[in-house]
Amino acid sequence: MPHLLDWHGLDDSIWKQQLDAALLHHRAGTTWSHAARGKSIALMFFNPSLRTRTSMELAATQLGAHATTLVAGQGTWSFAWDEGVVMDGAEAEHINEAVGVLSRYYDALGVRVFASMTDYEKDRSEQLLHTFAQAADVPVINLESAFHHPCQALADAATLKTHFGDDLSGKRLVLAWTHHPKALPMAVPNSALLMASRLGMDVTVARPDSYALDPGVMAQATSYAAAHGASVVEMDDLDAACDGADVIYAKAWGGPMVYTDPDQEAQIRQQATDWRITADRMARTQNGVFMHCLPVRRNVVVDDAVLDGPQALHLLQSEFRLHAQKAILEYAWDLCTPANARNGHALNGHALVSALA
Ligand code: CP
């Protein structure tokens, strides 16, 4: 069963097609889609969300489909994940049954399940996301997992193309690590890095020494950039990174030390309050724009003057979440078409009505 778990697992042609579709939904303001009519998706959230949840629900409704949102453990049973587990504790239902049941009701499933922040190998290998996807008989859309946020990446790519035009070669995006009171997962920085390098942008990862991104993700990004004659470099000087940049993409993340020495990581992070996007830093750019996936902590990650100023693109990014979700839903519907017969039905619902008529 094909899924949308991350973009780098899919052909370049699919990535480009989805990007074009998101841009088209923005231009056309599409509110109805033949492909979506009568389709359904269940959205399972193991973690909070404002943008992903609402944009996916609204995208489905505007296209003519139905979305059901489930918040795991709040109005559903609590789920067990492990194979072979003896379920004599708090968890009343195994994820295998939950996903198996939803696969029989819905044409596609979405899931948000964040990083553990305690087990690097489990997070890097996307263990929970893959467990969920393997239990599904319908396409699964990743609504943000331990290491990737493909919905955000597509919206960000469409935002960049809308702002700068189709050709992003020669543009430089700074992926700027910022201070944050909490150690956050790496899904968004990973996806932003892969997205920008796949678009052929030059990328500077500006971060303190202890906050390296995963070597596999860095290697994939370097390979994308090389295919365009572009580059991926790392710096530990945020001011210098901002000099002449076209985009400052700010994001806090915990880095590998969270897994090996969380107390030390917390100490380093708490002392790094100067890693913040200020008006002075934006002034060092080449009329650059500020991006952030949101939610963002004002005057911790970025100053009010930047967020409320003319260089801020964060609300356009959020708007593009809706356009991108429509493109992603249509992709999922395409994947699920052969699954109409998965329950042994010879006819889908519309064909049945026609046949009876
Ligand atoms: N950017 C993003 O995914 O926002 P939510 O966590 O609110 O969905």
Side-chain angles (χ1 to χ4, degrees):
M1 173 55 59
H3 302 294
L4 174 46
L5 304 186
D6 52 56
W7 289 116
H8 63 276
L10 297 171
D11 284 352
D12 220 35
S13 60
I14 296 174
W15 162 248
K16 286 180 178 151
Q17 186 186 45
Q18 291 300 293
L19 189 43
D20 286 347
L23 289 163
L24 184 63
H25 279 296
H26 171 237
R27 283 197 303 275
T30 317
T31 55
W32 186 84
S33 155
H34 183 70
R37 197 168 165 208
K39 293 290 198 303
S40 58
I41 183 166
L43 308 170
M44 177 78 88
F45 284 86
F46 289 86
N47 309 95
S49 168
L50 187 148
R51 279 142 292 272
T52 306
R53 172 177 173 167
T54 53
S55 61
M56 195 57 105
E57 288 178 353
L58 190 58
T61 301
Q62 289 187 350
L63 289 175
H66 173 80
T68 302
T69 295
L70 299 160
V71 179
Q74 295 175 37
T76 75
W77 307 105
S78 294
F79 301 118
W81 286 83
D82 294 336
E83 287 301 322
V85 63
V86 177
M87 290 175 55
D88 58 358
E91 287 83 20
E93 181 155 28
H94 199 280
I95 199 73
N96 287 348
E97 275 72 54
V99 175
V101 168
L102 294 173
S103 293
R104 302 226 166 188
Y105 298 162
Y106 292 89
D107 296 296
L109 306 178
V111 62
R112 166 167 285 199
V113 59
F114 284 177
S116 68
M117 304 301 281
T118 54
D119 183 336
Y120 190 78
E121 198 46 41
K122 180 179 176 183
D123 291 348
R124 194 195 60 77
S125 65
E126 298 278 28
Q127 187 180 306
L128 296 182
L129 178 67
H130 286 130
T131 298
F132 190 99
Q134 277 159 15
D137 296 322
V138 294
V140 171
I141 299 169
N142 176 1
L143 304 175
E144 189 174 344
S145 60
F147 251 45
H148 296 286
H149 195 348
C151 297
Q152 184 71 50
L154 188 66
D156 291 347
T159 304
L160 285 164
K161 281 197 178 265
T162 298
H163 184 79
F164 289 108
D166 194 49
D167 185 7
L168 289 158
S169 58
K171 298 289 181 197
R172 189 163 69 83
L173 180 145
V174 177
L175 178 58
W177 183 92
T178 60
H179 169 68
H180 197 280
K182 292 168 72 176
L184 298 183
M186 289 178 265
V188 169
N190 287 344
S191 292
L193 169 61
L194 293 170
M195 173 276 299
S197 55
R198 199 169 195 173
L199 293 177
M201 300 182 81
D202 293 309
V203 183
T204 302
V205 181
R207 59 165 181 85
D209 196 35
S210 312
Y211 291 88
L213 292 171
D214 183 73
V217 174
M218 290 297 295
Q220 177 69 68
T222 302
S223 157
Y224 282 144
H228 291 273
S231 62
V232 176
V233 298
E234 296 183 89
M235 298 179 76
D236 63 2
D237 183 336
L238 184 53
D239 285 331
C242 291
D243 284 340
D246 298 288
V247 182
I248 307 297
Y249 194 117
K251 189 70 188 79
W253 67 86
M257 196 184 276
V258 169
Y259 295 88
T260 56
D261 192 345
D263 292 340
Q264 175 75 1
E265 187 281 333
Q267 270 188 23
I268 294 171
R269 184 164 34 79
Q270 279 155 17
Q271 286 163 12
T273 52
D274 189 45
W275 282 77
R276 192 176 80 253
I277 307 304
T278 62
D280 284 349
R281 284 184 166 132
M282 290 307 298
R284 299 177 81 116
T285 67
Q286 186 169 281
N287 197 24
V289 293
F290 171 83
M291 294 180 74
H292 193 283
C293 65
L294 303 182
V296 70
R297 292 193 182 229
R298 281 177 173 254
N299 305 309
V300 173
V301 169
V302 53
D303 284 359
D304 285 340
V306 177
L307 274 181
D308 299 332
Q311 291 167 288
L313 279 196
H314 60 296
L315 294 183
L316 184 61
Q317 276 175 273
S318 287
E319 180 197 319
F320 264 100
R321 294 297 307 275
L322 178 62
H323 309 311
Q325 306 296 43
K326 289 179 182 172
I328 287 169
L329 281 174
E330 287 177 335
Y331 175 68
W333 308 147
D334 281 350
L335 294 178
C336 78
T337 303
N340 281 331
R342 66 185 178 275
N343 294 342
H345 299 156
L347 299 171
N348 66 25
H350 298 299
L352 184 61
V353 169
S354 306
L356 291 174

